[in-house]
Amino acid sequence: MDLTVTTAATLPDLEELRDRIAAAETVVPVGGRTHWDVGGPAPIGVEVRAPAGVVSYDPAELTVTAGAGTTVADLAATLEDGGQECVLDPRDPAAATVGGTLASGLSGYRRLRYGSLRDRLLEVRFVTGDGRVVKGGGPTVKNVTGYDLPRLLVGSLGTIGVIVQVTLRCQPRPRHVTWAGTSGDPFEVRRRCFRPSCIAWDGGDTRGLLEGDPDDVAAELHAGGLTPGDRGPAWPDGPHRGRISVRPGRLCALADELGGVDGLRWVAEIGVGTVHVGADRPAPLAQARQAAEAAGGWLLREQGDGIDGFGAGLPNRQLMARIKTAFDPAGKLSPGRLPV
Amino acid sequence: MADLRAALGPDRARAEPLELALYQRDAGVDRGQAAAVCFPGTVDQLAAAVGIAAWHDRPFVARGSGTGLAGGATPVGDPLVIVTTGLNRIVEVDADERVAWVEPGVLNLDLSRAVHHLGLHYAPDPSSQQACTIGGNVATNAGGPHCLAAGVTAAHVLAVEVVLADGSVAMLGGLEPDAPGYDLRGCFVGSEGTMGVSGRIAVRLTPNPPAVRTLLLDFSTIEAAAATVSGIIAAGIVPAALEMMDAEITRAVEDFVGAGYPRDAAAVLLVELDGLPAGVEAQVEAVRRVGHEHGARTVRVAADDAERALLWKGRKSAFGAIARIAPDYYLHDAVVPRTKLVDVLRQVYAIAAEYDLTMMNVFHAGDGNLHPLIVFDQRTPGVWERVHAAGDAILRACVDAGGVLSGEHGIGLEKRDAMPLVFTPDDLDAQARLRDAFDPSGRANPEKILPSGSRCGELQRVPAGAWI
């Protein structure tokens, strides 16, 4: 494999980037700042940005290679030309970068069908704290050659390396897409539909996302008792936001608790176990975190500074600390983002 | 041995020469030597065995059924071999959450059979699925024909209880969709036993599709078959499985199984489409059209489950079929970009001719995962040297086409020293850091995956010749 073509020919500012990273005391990778409050407090240091632009795309490969600074919307526009998409689904695709979305590790709302964000990343190039470029994974859709650095980088919040270039898995765009609603039991919708892309529930209203052949979508709508509509769920907004991760089987019980939190807006992804929460003040989020932890889950802060990033400490913290030290012995990459 | 016998029971630890000989290798070709072998019957005993190895500062190698082909379970460094096949209980199945907790020695196909009545299955389906263990699947991040659409093992493992090299137990991942911090579960899957040993494993179960159609297309040239593969993807279809077999293997399989494969075809494609009925029928028509556009001689759609099973039996019996041709075979595993399939296949046949070897190809065409199969008789003088040299040449051809060293078998011992073909010293150093963070002692399945010299500052002592 020619390792030089893409880095040298299409990412000309990499050398300067490497020098800046190597010389800095503290390095803070920046994408679109759309996930800026995710996890621990935003570190202060030399801000660096990954190059933007699609490096290579061949629809027949179902993969795309792009600079990590490419916005998700720009990437989507390129893939649309090939009749394909890459399921990243950040909140603000026009501003969010591919690298930032991956580094924050937040899977999108279509996870029920398409799986975790981590399953998208095939190959990653990142710059280490001492300015070396490291490649992990490989460009093919299937690969078990060596250790899975791509999965380590997804969700690492800039603490392992500065992601500069990625190769992602794509898929054909579905022929037909529709949101649909019901006031019925969301868990029943999940049991009755074969492969919905999302079932969102706010305690009253259920919204399902169906994608595929038009006749199949119609049949699924019928099976799930869903009425097509043009709007998806109202994802919770507000200056204080977070996401709960809990066993999907505990969503029903957790919903009872969340329903009792004054001032909390929430939407749960049925079958996944993610609950998006939002509020105008920090207190409801703190209460939601208590409820999540009591249900065996946890709450990640996504926006606001009223609560800390992770709540209860990280599991396997010693092991995580060894990994952090192994990759960033100087402790210069996004210090404090992950409490290891 | 005394400690092992005390902790596991007298029958569960052995060191007799005959038994040690049984565990010299996996289904690959590299041999090693075990110091002792043990058979834990519970996860606690598994942890105890690893702890005893730690106490005696002894390397350890875990193995399931030993179906691995890359020497990942070959004992190196006089280790304790820990056999997990006795840990074969399906601990819990939650049909509503679609999750099963299994012990590492549960056989892949046994799990799917156990949950069949719930309308569920375990998606990764390596060709050895009747024999291979889920623990081994986790270690190698195993694939299979149906991983084209469904994804490989890593996408189906939610949590792993791992016995780390010091004997401590850590739960990596969980049943909640995200675990806080680094994706330790994702790092562990595919680490080939070098980061610890799987105890209980939580896997995702997948609903059985309402509609399944299986098609057999046959072609008079291999180029036409490969063009059809690209054409199917270009038509916006990602089949559940998309397998190719060349002329030699098609004939061998037909003689063996009698599945109705055309004996005079230059190549056949086995295409499986699943999902909801309307989409599947539309895709059947699209595949039929693409096939004919690229010169398919016939397109056979299996009429019922029995015919479907027969077509698959042909594919999955490929490695049994070749035993009728020659006593030994050497199976390769590499991935190339889908668009390079024809180029690389041409080179593979040229390499076979150059080294005067019989080569067959049966592989996961949909994701570019080649499995060139060299059949030979090892009693032929000098044949091993030719087999190895041809394998080396094939691997280089795949890498030159922008491919990788392994799609689903792993690196193990077999391809360890080929890693520098695709990774720079800095890349390998980063991988070594991750491995060492999990196992600072270096006793978990030593000498696998990373060639010596991978760690910065380590003495470079790659042995002569890429193959061991």
Side-chain angles (χ1 to χ4, degrees):
Chain A
M1 178 191 319
D2 188 348
L3 293 176
T4 59
V5 172
T6 45
T7 45
T10 61
L11 300 177
D13 41 0
L14 218 49
E15 197 163 335
E16 192 204 322
L17 183 68
R18 291 167 57 176
D19 290 345
R20 285 187 66 207
I21 290 170
E25 202 167 307
T26 304
V27 176
V28 186
V30 178
R33 288 188 195 273
T34 56
H35 299 100
W36 199 241
D37 290 347
V38 171
I44 295 165
V46 175
E47 297 193 348
V48 295
R49 288 170 187 280
V54 172
V55 175
S56 67
Y57 172 51
D58 180 348
E61 295 294 350
L62 283 175
T63 62
V64 63
T65 300
T70 312
T71 68
V72 172
D74 284 346
L75 182 74
T78 299
L79 299 180
E80 196 170 354
D81 294 339
Q84 294 176 357
E85 63 177 345
C86 176
V87 181
L88 296 173
D89 295 338
R91 277 178 85 92
D92 184 357
T97 63
V98 171
T101 303
L102 292 167
S104 72
L106 302 182
S107 295
Y109 59 91
R110 290 187 285 170
R111 183 172 184 166
L112 181 60
R113 175 158 178 178
Y114 301 117
S116 160
L117 180 69
R118 298 182 198 276
D119 299 337
R120 302 287 108 72
L121 183 60
L122 301 170
E123 181 181 274
V124 62
R125 280 166 211 267
F126 61 95
V127 179
T128 59
D130 54 5
R132 291 172 295 136
V133 176
V134 169
K135 180 190 75 169
T140 55
V141 290
K142 199 172 181 190
N143 176 26
V144 294
T145 310
Y147 292 94
D148 203 335
L149 294 182
R151 283 181 194 269
L152 174 65
L153 268 290
V154 176
S156 64
L157 294 170
T159 63
I160 296 287
V162 179
I163 302 174
V164 290
Q165 182 179 302
V166 295
T167 300
L168 299 159
R169 178 193 299 276
C170 308
Q171 61 189 42
R173 292 170 71 87
R175 289 181 58 204
H176 186 61
V177 179
T178 188
W179 282 99
T182 176
S183 54
D185 180 359
F187 299 94
E188 198 54 33
V189 173
R190 170 149 189 271
R191 277 188 284 270
R192 289 183 180 185
C193 293
F194 169 57
R195 211 153 51 185
S197 300
C198 177
I199 302 168
W201 179 56
D202 65 6
D205 190 34
T206 299
R207 296 268 136 195
L209 178 65
L210 297 167
E211 300 180 297
D213 182 275
D215 289 342
D216 289 335
V217 168
E220 290 270 86
L221 289 172
H222 182 73
L226 294 160
T227 310
D230 53 5
R231 77 177 171 86
W235 301 110
D237 223 322
H240 300 276
R241 282 193 293 106
R243 69 167 60 193
I244 292 169
S245 215
V246 70
R247 283 181 66 158
R250 295 195 179 146
L251 278 176
C252 200
L254 178 63
D256 286 343
E257 299 295 320
L258 297 180
V261 177
D262 190 38
L264 184 75
R265 296 180 285 275
W266 61 270
V267 171
E269 294 181 39
I270 304 300
V272 174
T274 300
V275 187
H276 305 268
V277 295
D280 297 327
R281 29 191 196 92
L285 246 62
Q287 284 175 267
R289 173 171 279 167
Q290 274 182 357
E293 290 175 359
W298 63 290
L299 184 148
L300 173 71
R301 180 188 68 184
E302 288 187 64
Q303 185 153 325
D305 56 5
I307 58 170
D308 67 25
F310 293 91
L314 301 184
N316 304 303
R317 189 162 164 235
Q318 281 187 331
L319 178 49
M320 289 195 195
R322 285 205 299 269
I323 293 172
K324 167 69 177 169
T325 306
F327 281 86
D328 180 24
K332 67 195 281 188
L333 297 170
S334 300
R337 276 288 195 203
L338 267 184
V340 288
Chain B
M1 281 305 290
D3 287 354
L4 281 172
R5 290 198 168 115
L8 277 61
D11 293 342
R12 293 189 176 278
R14 314 275 178 84
E16 291 76 25
L18 187 66
E19 267 168 314
L20 296 185
L22 281 175
Y23 295 96
Q24 278 185 334
R25 49 177 279 200
D26 52 23
V29 294
D30 304 302
R31 282 170 198 274
Q33 182 63 45
V37 54
C38 68
F39 307 85
T42 65
V43 173
D44 287 346
Q45 288 184 357
L46 172 69
V50 175
I52 289 165
W55 176 254
H56 292 278
D57 198 23
R58 169 81 67 177
F60 62 94
V61 178
R63 62 181 278 148
S65 301
T67 58
L69 287 157
T74 300
V76 180
D78 223 15
L80 169 65
V81 169
I82 302 172
V83 182
T84 63
T85 48
L87 298 163
N88 58 359
R89 283 165 288 263
I90 297 174
V91 180
E92 188 190 335
V93 174
D94 186 329
D96 214 42
E97 279 199 339
R98 295 173 188 163
V99 171
W101 279 100
V102 301
E103 291 183 344
V106 169
L107 301 187
N108 177 299
L109 191 58
D110 283 355
L111 175 59
S112 279
R113 283 188 176 139
V115 298
H116 180 76
H117 68 285
L118 301 168
L120 300 169
H121 68 285
Y122 177 59
D125 62 338
S127 293
S128 57
Q129 70 180 141
Q130 297 191 28
C132 62
T133 64
I134 305 268
N137 292 172
V138 168
T140 55
N141 194 7
H146 286 86
C147 291
L148 174 56
V152 293
T153 299
H156 300 273
V157 172
L158 302 171
V160 194
E161 178 188 40
V162 174
V163 182
L164 297 170
D166 62 2
S168 65
V169 176
M171 181 63 78
L172 311 184
L175 300 190
E176 61 273 24
D178 296 299
Y182 300 130
D183 183 14
L184 302 178
R185 173 206 57 92
C187 295
F188 180 80
V189 176
S191 62
E192 303 193 34
T194 63
M195 289 177 170
V197 187
S198 297
R200 281 170 283 253
I201 302 160
V203 297
R204 183 191 308 283
L205 300 173
T206 305
N208 298 338
V212 183
R213 300 300 292 274
T214 305
L215 290 77
L216 186 76
L217 294 78
D218 77 276
F219 298 86
S220 47
T221 67
I222 202 151
E223 284 81 2
T228 302
V229 171
S230 296
I232 290 170
I233 302 291
I237 298 168
V238 179
L242 180 42
E243 303 282 302
M244 195 192 291
M245 297 163 75
D246 72 3
E248 294 262 15
I249 195 80
T250 301
R251 267 197 303 279
V253 160
E254 185 53 25
D255 291 345
F256 184 57
V257 177
Y261 287 17
R263 296 186 79 265
D264 61 342
V268 301
L269 287 181
L270 190 62
V271 185
E272 187 149 283
L273 303 161
D274 72 17
L276 290 156
V280 168
E281 288 314 314
Q283 291 183 352
V284 167
E285 289 318 305
V287 168
R288 195 196 293 274
R289 191 183 63 243
V290 171
H292 284 309
E293 278 169 13
H294 291 95
R297 299 189 308 179
T298 58
V299 178
R300 172 177 160 196
V301 184
D304 52 29
D305 282 353
E307 190 178 358
R308 198 172 84 75
L310 189 62
L311 291 182
W312 272 110
K313 189 178 177 196
R315 165 62 183 87
K316 294 207 173 183
S317 306
F319 301 117
I322 55 105
R324 295 159 58 102
I325 296 169
D328 303 294
Y329 70 79
Y330 191 29
L331 177 65
H332 280 271
D333 168 46
V335 189
V336 298
R338 240 180 306 247
T339 47
K340 302 282 175 58
L341 269 179
V342 172
D343 280 356
V344 174
L345 276 173
R346 236 181 247 135
Q347 291 180 56
V348 164
Y349 290 118
I351 291 164
E354 185 185 336
Y355 290 93
D356 191 23
L357 292 164
T358 303
M359 181 99 64
M360 303 182 171
N361 280 282
V362 45
F363 60 99
H364 313 308
D367 36 32
N369 190 180
L370 287 173
H371 286 315
L373 180 71
I374 302 171
V375 294
F376 60 99
D377 184 340
Q378 61 177 336
R379 291 166 297 191
T380 313
V383 72
W384 261 120
E385 287 70 24
R386 280 185 289 133
V387 167
H388 279 182
D392 197 3
I394 289 169
L395 214 49
R396 282 175 189 279
C398 292
V399 169
D400 287 345
V404 296
L405 301 177
S406 175
E408 54 185 14
H409 296 174
I411 299 301
L413 208 49
E414 183 199 39
K415 290 178 175 171
R416 181 189 72 178
D417 291 338
M419 288 283 275
L421 289 178
V422 288
F423 291 117
T424 67
D426 281 338
D427 300 342
L428 291 172
D429 173 64
Q431 296 190 30
R433 288 175 193 230
L434 182 59
R435 185 237 178 274
D436 295 350
F438 272 78
D439 172 24
S441 75
R443 288 182 302 96
N445 205 6
E447 311 283 326
K448 307 293 169 64
I449 303 183
L450 296 172
S452 40
S454 295
R455 290 153 185 88
C456 275
E458 189 184 350
L459 213 59
Q460 198 80 24
R461 40 190 175 84
V462 179
W467 297 84
I468 316 168

